[in-house]
Amino acid sequence: MMTDKPQCEIGMIGLGVMGRNLLLNMADHGFSVAGYDNDLAKVNNLRQEAQARDVHGAEDIKTLIGLLRCPRAIVLLVPAGPPVDAVIKELLPYLQTGDIIIDSGNSYFKDTDIRAHHLTEQGIQFLGVGISGGEEGARRGPSIMPGGPKEAYERVQHVFEAVAAKVNNEPCVAYLGSGSVGHYVKMVHNGIEYAMMQLIAETYDVMKRGLGLDDSQLSTIYSEWNQGELNSYLLEITSHIFSKIDEKSKKSLIDEILPVAKQTGTGMWTSQSAMELQVPIPTIDLAVAMRDLSVFITEREQASKIYQLPQPRFTADKKAFLSQLRHALFAAMIITYAQGMALLRIASDKYEYHLDLETVSRIWRGGCIIRATLLEDICAAFHAQKDLSNLLLDLNLSHQLIAHQEHLRQIVGQVSQLGIPIPGFMVSLSYLDAYRSAWLPDNLIQAQRDYFGAHTYERIDSKGTYHTEWEKI
Ligand code: 6PG
């Protein structure tokens, strides 16, 4: 008997902001899709927004499954952690061998590996897919970072390529490799995102408290900066933020926002993973730490009274200083990307991801939160040298950094005199200085370790390990 039941290409579980918008994006590209959420209001919301599009709302999982063509492809966009496992558990009884579950949330990569292992044993294919771009990205074109079995990716490739952001007509999506690589790459993307946001926030502090600029001047400056080498999504939105008037107070909205930063964990995971793999990413670590410090608002208020210092006045030439600040920010951005990419390089070896970093930088050029013109140079660096261990060793980027590093140094020096915290800038400069230093004082650390713990040390002049009785006369 013929049935006119829809044979949807994709099913979505989780119709929050990201899920609903991504589904509508798919429908805009001509795909027949179905969505389910345990909150009926969200299902109705989807139906309303769908209008004439080929979008079906399901009120339970069984109905959703019945709407999908086989092998089924089901995207999960639910909060990371236990909700993902709960949905998978609910789904499993309805699935058949060959069906694909696509977790598109910000899941922890080690959870993705466990889930993939578990589901593969049951004949279900599992893709861990990072999606970046927020609400607007999901609706109009995100950057998509897929990982998992290649054949499973190929089943949905045409959908992802259609909905992804495009740069020079190239979709900002590419198969990245097996296992949890998609979620790992998304995690590092977010680590870089945290660092870039911290650096921009520091420039705001310097310009507002140090130079006394007002919000409208800040909006103009960020907009100007966004025209040049610093061109990036985060600077673009920062410029808009400073021009936004609060409907309630009729003042600048930015000044009404409590300066306490929240986080959902991806930045911290990046730092944790880097520590585990022993890859230094201090600008990212610092960005996480500064969000943490922002929460201690009561203690900081107490400390501000104890450590009250006369606020030195900024007396130098503002225009020249602003130009330096702009160059310093660019230098710190290069250093931030270098740290994130170095982590990806080592994680790829450790977890056998076989990541192509040119591809990663290519799909970050559009749709995602860290998209920036600088990514063109980063792409070119990995194109020129596939196994480049650190972007700071690339010829073009190193030339750019050499041209900007003095500004970074000047800014760090001048702003520390003003007593305004710019730890992101400081740590970026220190990373550069340490990375470009062929000698570091770690011979002393080794001597101390050997002194108190007989941990031994190696010598410059001969092979082997040595121990000294340091107190023996
Ligand atoms: C993106 C964002 C997105 C989310 C962040 C926010 O790429 O679209 O990174 O995933 O906005 O996870 O993270 P925090 O809540 O930790 O700031």
Side-chain angles (χ1 to χ4, degrees):
M1 198 179 79
M2 284 284 287
T3 162
D4 55 3
K5 227 160 99 185
Q7 290 273 298
C8 296
E9 190 77 32
I10 299 280
M12 173 79 68
I13 299 184
L15 298 176
V17 171
M18 291 298 283
R20 188 179 73 252
N21 282 297
L22 192 61
L23 210 57
L24 291 168
N25 182 353
M26 290 173 182
D28 278 347
H29 285 87
F31 298 108
S32 168
V33 294
Y36 159 73
D37 196 293
N38 59 10
D39 178 354
L40 191 58
K42 288 188 178 150
V43 179
N44 287 330
N45 212 347
L46 174 74
R47 286 179 177 140
Q48 254 171 23
E49 272 196 67
Q51 295 171 353
R53 297 178 187 91
D54 197 356
V55 176
H56 305 263
E59 294 182 15
D60 53 62
I61 287 204
K62 192 170 174 215
T63 312
L64 176 82
I65 297 296
L67 290 167
L68 306 179
R69 88 162 166 83
C70 291
R72 304 178 185 92
I74 302 148
V75 178
L76 313 187
L77 257 165
V78 297
V84 176
D85 295 307
V87 170
I88 292 175
K89 194 169 166 212
E90 229 187 306
L91 255 178
L92 270 177
Y94 302 104
L95 298 185
Q96 289 167 0
T97 303
D99 286 349
I100 306 165
I101 297 180
I102 303 159
D103 176 15
S104 294
N106 276 334
S107 287
Y108 183 49
F109 73 101
K110 290 186 182 175
D111 289 345
T112 301
D113 282 323
I114 294 168
R115 287 171 190 141
H117 180 76
H118 226 67
L119 288 166
T120 310
E121 278 180 341
Q122 304 182 57
I124 306 300
Q125 310 229 55
F126 188 63
L127 291 171
V129 176
I131 297 198
S132 177
E135 178 175 3
E136 184 62 16
R139 187 69 186 87
R140 310 269 163 230
S143 169
I144 307 179
M145 295 151 250
K150 189 144 197 231
E151 64 280 13
Y153 175 67
E154 282 165 355
R155 154 79 176 78
V156 291
Q157 182 174 356
H158 61 299
V159 181
F160 281 177
E161 286 182 353
V163 300
K166 309 285 179 307
V167 172
N168 306 330
N169 285 326
E170 280 177 52
C172 292
V173 57
Y175 176 68
L176 295 179
S178 58
S180 53
V181 66
H183 280 144
Y184 196 93
V185 170
K186 176 66 195 336
M187 177 188 81
V188 175
H189 164 285
N190 281 28
I192 296 172
E193 172 186 304
Y194 274 48
M196 288 173 74
M197 290 165 78
Q198 172 65 26
L199 291 167
I200 296 172
E202 290 178 12
T203 64
Y204 153 50
D205 196 3
V206 170
M207 290 192 281
K208 183 138 189 163
R209 282 201 286 176
L211 271 57
L213 301 185
D214 65 25
D215 295 327
S216 132
Q217 288 170 310
L218 286 171
S219 173
T220 309
I221 287 169
Y222 285 122
S223 161
E224 280 167 15
W225 286 5
N226 190 40
Q227 308 307 313
E229 60 193 2
L230 277 172
N231 177 260
S232 57
Y233 170 72
L234 281 168
L235 272 189
E236 181 190 327
I237 64 165
T238 304
S239 164
H240 291 166
I241 287 169
F242 281 101
S243 63
K244 186 78 181 170
I245 300 297
D246 177 28
E247 283 175 13
K248 192 168 161 212
S249 64
K250 310 287 178 223
K251 294 189 214 145
S252 257
L253 179 55
I254 184 74
D255 299 321
E256 304 302 311
I257 296 177
L258 188 73
V260 171
K262 298 280 160 62
Q263 50 186 314
T264 41
T266 45
M268 179 186 74
W269 296 340
T270 310
S271 286
Q272 284 173 337
S273 175
M275 293 274 172
E276 234 174 84
L277 299 177
Q278 299 181 309
V279 186
I281 54 161
T283 312
I284 295 173
D285 300 337
L286 187 280
V288 179
M290 289 308 285
R291 286 201 193 188
D292 294 340
L293 187 59
S294 79
V295 175
F296 291 82
I297 191 159
T298 320
E299 276 180 47
R300 287 190 287 106
E301 272 161 12
Q302 269 177 286
S304 72
K305 295 191 180 83
I306 299 172
Y307 295 98
Q308 221 167 33
L309 295 171
Q311 171 86 43
R313 279 173 50 81
F314 178 83
T315 48
D317 177 49
K318 269 190 194 173
K319 206 163 162 228
F321 179 88
L322 282 172
S323 161
Q324 272 191 332
L325 189 61
R326 172 188 189 151
H327 292 310
L329 179 59
F330 185 61
M333 293 276 184
I334 296 178
I335 293 165
T336 297
Y337 271 107
Q339 293 173 15
M341 293 319 229
L343 174 57
L344 284 180
R345 158 75 61 233
I346 294 195
S348 175
D349 292 346
K350 163 84 182 170
Y351 299 121
E352 295 178 14
Y353 287 147
H354 306 289
L355 252 184
D356 179 50
L357 293 183
E358 184 189 348
T359 304
V360 173
S361 15
R362 191 158 44 77
I363 65 174
W364 282 353
R365 288 176 310 160
C368 67
I369 305 296
I370 63 168
R371 62 186 186 258
T373 297
L374 175 58
L375 279 159
E376 293 290 350
D377 288 338
I378 295 175
C379 260
F382 288 116
H383 182 75
Q385 199 183 328
K386 277 225 162 314
D387 59 353
L388 182 66
S389 51
N390 192 306
L391 285 170
L392 301 192
L393 300 176
D394 173 66
L395 198 65
N396 169 31
L397 286 166
S398 60
H399 280 151
Q400 297 198 50
L401 199 46
I402 289 164
H404 288 80
Q405 64 170 347
E406 203 37 45
H407 300 292
L408 180 55
R409 198 173 303 284
Q410 290 294 330
I411 288 296
V412 166
Q414 289 184 57
V415 176
S416 63
Q417 293 299 318
L418 294 175
I420 293 173
I422 49 162
F425 279 83
M426 285 179 165
V427 94
S428 301
L429 175 65
S430 296
Y431 174 83
L432 171 63
D433 280 340
Y435 190 75
R436 68 179 185 82
S437 184
W439 182 87
L440 286 171
D442 294 77
N443 45 346
L444 176 58
I445 290 172
Q446 282 299 80
Q448 289 165 332
R449 290 179 72 243
D450 189 55
Y451 193 120
F452 62 67
H455 293 294
T456 74
Y457 56 89
E458 292 165 296
R459 294 185 61 97
I460 292 171
D461 55 4
S462 48
K463 285 207 179 310
T465 48
Y466 297 85
H467 169 61
T468 296
E469 292 298 324
W470 292 90
E471 290 186 4
K472 200 166 125 192
I473 305 170

